[in-house]
Amino acid sequence: MASKPTPPEDTQILLEAFQSFSQAAEHLQSAYTDLKNHALELNLELEETNRKLSISLQEQERLNLHFLGILQAMKTGILVIELDGQIMEMNAAASGILGIAVQRGHYTDLSLPEPLTQYIRNCLEHTISRVPKQEFVWVRGSEEIEIEISFALVRPKVGGIMSILILLQDVTLVNRLKKQSQRDARLAAMGEMAAELAHEIRNPLGSIKLLGSLLADDLAHDESKKPLADQLNHSVQTIDAIVSNMLTFSADIHPKLGSVDLVATLRECLDLIRHELENKAIQVKHRLNDLKPLPIAGDAYLLKQMFMNLALNAIKAMKPGSGVLTLDLVKGEEYAELVLKDNGCGIRKEHLHQIFDPFFSTFEGGTGLGLSVVHKIIEKHKGAIELKSQVGRGTSVYISLPRFNNPEGGAA
């Protein structure tokens, strides 16, 4: 049986359907191609964005490391504190100044000094009335240090406050230098006044000294009145020593260096203080009579003044009848070593670092100039002095003075 032919209408419909399908396929293919190209563009943009983000993150990390490096290298102590009180950063300088390990956490939970804790609380709680700067004393180990604290606000570009920086400075040395400068200025003024007074005193003192010597000669054969004349001369000698110290302290000393026999100089000084030694029945131990001349580079007048001050201090420190003053002299290759020892009351340990300061004295009524002058004279002679003492056992003074160089070279 033969098949029926397809009607023309169905063929037309089929052709139209095929054409629509072809057009839809082409449209889908075009859309797919556009989508693929767009996806490729987005992928390239994403890769570029990721690359830029990676570079930005690396730069941010580098800047953070740079910032942390600067923070740790700074000599100023820095605490970075959030507004809720959390310490986000503490640099090494802050750790060193406070004497604690680097810590993080809420500031009230950390072992911070109470004045610093109070200052941080004030900065966080009182926006307007913050104290710009404050100082407090903090005991770090066995020493006291002076700490200056201040603050700075960290403000973002959008405004407001992001965090607070607490800045710490160890101002112990700075304050000490300020006090030293003020003290030097006062001493300079006192020195000028002392020099003027000393010159005014020395003129009538010379007349008193002359009259005292004449009086002593006149009363030489009157045993009842001779001690009075001796006491007068002794008092004049004491005043003269004080005036000499004042003049030496206030003046800029320029020693006239030459060859000075230290052995002979010490003998002369012992003769000058013999009266004081006998009055307190102080025994003197030395071997100067057995020593050969020992030339040193010095100024004879200043060296005598130096030794007299040391000897008179030793005599004051010893009890009558039981005092022993010991002198020892050692000839070194470049220096002569002089050791002066007494068995007096000694000096308290906390006073030893002040012993050469002007106007500081451990004796009641003392001027505090004797040892200052001693130190100044030895310094001008390019020598050295060291003092050791124990309360109740006595004091030892160690002095080094340069030997005199002869014309052929070398020490004499």
Side-chain angles (χ1 to χ4, degrees), residues 309-334:
N309 283 341
L310 290 174
L312 291 174
N313 266 9
I315 292 171
K316 288 180 185 178
M318 292 185 284
K319 294 180 180 179
S322 60
V324 178
L325 181 66
T326 304
L327 288 178
D328 194 16
L329 201 56
V330 180
K331 180 180 179 181
E333 290 185 5
E334 297 182 4

Side-chain angles (χ1 to χ4, degrees), residues 176-370:
R176 191 177 298 164
L177 291 174
K178 285 181 181 177
K179 292 176 183 176
Q180 180 68 36
S181 178
Q182 294 169 357
R183 175 173 165 272
D184 289 344
R186 289 196 303 271
L187 289 177
M190 293 177 70
E192 292 177 6
M193 181 183 68
E196 293 179 8
L197 288 174
H199 283 297
E200 293 298 325
I201 292 171
R202 179 158 270 185
N203 291 331
L205 187 64
S207 300
I208 296 172
K209 191 173 184 179
L210 176 61
L211 294 174
S213 299
L214 295 174
L215 183 61
D217 292 339
D218 291 343
L219 299 177
H221 303 292
D222 191 337
E223 295 296 331
S224 62
K225 295 180 180 179
K226 184 176 180 300
L228 297 176
D230 291 339
Q231 184 62 40
L232 174 63
N233 287 328
H234 170 67
S235 299
V236 170
Q237 184 178 346
T238 302
I239 296 172
D240 187 55
I242 293 172
V243 170
S244 297
N245 283 338
M246 291 174 70
L247 287 172
T248 304
F249 169 73
S250 61
D252 186 13
I253 301 176
H254 297 287
K256 297 178 181 178
L257 299 180
S259 177
V260 178
D261 181 8
L262 188 56
V263 176
T265 300
L266 293 177
R267 285 179 189 155
E268 291 178 23
C269 291
L270 287 177
D271 288 337
L272 292 174
I273 62 171
R274 191 171 304 281
H275 181 76
E276 284 76 8
L277 293 170
E278 291 175 352
N279 278 349
K280 294 189 72 172
I282 291 174
Q283 182 183 359
V284 181
K285 293 184 177 180
H286 65 83
R287 53 189 183 90
L288 297 176
N289 296 331
D290 301 326
L291 295 178
K292 295 180 180 179
L294 177 54
I296 63 169
D299 183 311
Y301 171 77
L302 292 176
L303 290 174
K304 287 179 183 178
Q305 187 176 357
M306 176 269 292
F307 179 79
M308 293 285 286
N309 283 341
L310 290 174
L312 291 174
N313 266 9
I315 292 171
K316 288 180 185 178
M318 292 185 284
K319 294 180 180 179
S322 60
V324 178
L325 181 66
T326 304
L327 288 178
D328 194 16
L329 201 56
V330 180
K331 180 180 179 181
E333 290 185 5
E334 297 182 4
Y335 288 86
E337 309 289 341
L338 170 63
V339 182
L340 181 70
K341 296 182 180 181
D342 67 64
N343 62 343
C345 57
I347 303 168
R348 293 166 61 179
K349 186 177 180 181
E350 59 267 29
H351 290 159
L352 284 176
H353 72 283
Q354 299 175 276
I355 205 67
F356 295 116
D357 289 353
F359 308 108
F360 175 82
S361 177
T362 57
F363 298 115
E364 184 177 354
T367 63
L369 288 176

